[in-house]
């Protein structure tokens, strides 16, 4: 919880709502595992496994995808609030099913454990088949997005989702699940740290090292050296006419 809270605080400090939401999602998933799965016989088809855990396993990648595709537009933006409300509705739905009786639990169990493919695809994991497929699709999408855009934050989100899938797979196996959830939060922290470095040292428009990088490198020089400065005549007029991107 400490690592996840730290990731959320750092994400909020650097104006990265996606990191705040993902850290909160990881902490919430860890709490559910500790409250409902730890100490329970994972081979027992009780409602803790068939409803609560299975619901978490299926809903986690869906919520992670919604968090990852959201542009960073402030913690109090409509997009962030809508995702928080959607997650709250999911929690309410699981609680309602939990209290609704055996028939509702059985129906939910059947839906969450629907097999699209043969059981050989999921027999080795506690994760139901829909959760495995969703984790695979979301992880592949986030990885492709990170490689295509070259975004550090997208790479961090991919890593956090992939490690969280392993953490949910390891639920009920002692402290391994907690260790993996902590690792997922550490991945987020590392991504935010790398992104803050990029923002501080790299110019976003050109991709070139900026003034801070120049001053840092000048401090490492020793002995005699020469600095050359180049300028373009009337460049402001060019910018005003054609725009900064051109």
């Amino acid at each position: 919880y400490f690592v996840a809270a730290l990731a959320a605080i750092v994400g909020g400090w650097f104006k990265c709502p996606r990191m705040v939401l993902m850290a909160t999602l990881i902490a919430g998933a860890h709490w559910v595992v500790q409250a409902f799965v730890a100490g329970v016989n994972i081979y027992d088809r009780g409602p803790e496994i068939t409803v609560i855990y299975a619901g978490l396993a299926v809903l986690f990648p869906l919520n992670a995808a919604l968090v990852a595709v959201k542009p960073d537009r402030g913690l109090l933006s409509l997009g962030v609030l809508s995702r928080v409300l959607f997650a709250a509705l999911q929690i309410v739905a699981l609680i309602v099913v939990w209290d609704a009786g055996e028939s509702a639990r059985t129906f939910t169990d059947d839906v969450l454990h629907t097999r699209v493919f043969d059981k050989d695809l999921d027999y080795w994991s506690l994760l139901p088949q829909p959760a495995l497929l969703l984790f695979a699709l979301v992880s592949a999408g986030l990885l492709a997005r990170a490689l295509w855009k070259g975004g550090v934050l997208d790479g961090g989100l991919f890593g956090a989702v992939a490690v969280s899938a392993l953490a949910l797979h390891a639920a009920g196996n002692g402290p391994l699940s907690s260790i993996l959830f902590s690792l997922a939060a550490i991945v987020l922290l590392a991504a935010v740290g790398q992104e803050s470095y990029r923002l501080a040292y790299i110019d976003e428009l050109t991709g070139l090292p900026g003034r801070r990088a120049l001053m840092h490198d000048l401090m490492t020089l020793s002995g005699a050296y020469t600095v050359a400065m180049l300028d373009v005549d009337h460049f402001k007029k060019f910018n005003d006419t054609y725009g900064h991107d051109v």
Side-chain angles (χ1 to χ4, degrees), residues 20 37 49 60 107 127 180 200 205 234:
V20 177
V37 181
I49 300 298
F60 188 100
F107 174 77
L127 290 167
L180 289 170
L205 179 63
H234 312 297

Side-chain angles (χ1 to χ4, degrees), residues 214-215 217-228:
L214 171 65
M215 301 307 296
D217 288 345
L218 288 177
M219 292 175 61
T220 65
L221 296 176
S222 61
Y225 58 89
T226 299
V227 176

Side-chain angles (χ1 to χ4, degrees), residues 24-40:
T24 305
L25 183 61
I26 290 171
H30 177 263
W31 179 84
V32 171
V33 169
Q34 292 300 306
F36 293 95
V37 181
V40 174

Side-chain angles (χ1 to χ4, degrees), residues 59-101:
L59 293 173
F60 188 100
L62 291 175
N63 286 277
L66 290 175
V67 167
V69 300
K70 183 210 170 294
D72 288 323
R73 293 178 179 170
L75 281 171
L76 297 180
S77 66
L78 183 60
V80 170
L81 296 178
S82 63
R83 281 157 177 77
V84 172
L85 177 60
F86 182 57
L89 291 175
Q90 296 169 38
I91 295 172
V92 171
L94 286 177
I95 293 175
V96 169
V97 172
W98 176 269
D99 291 333

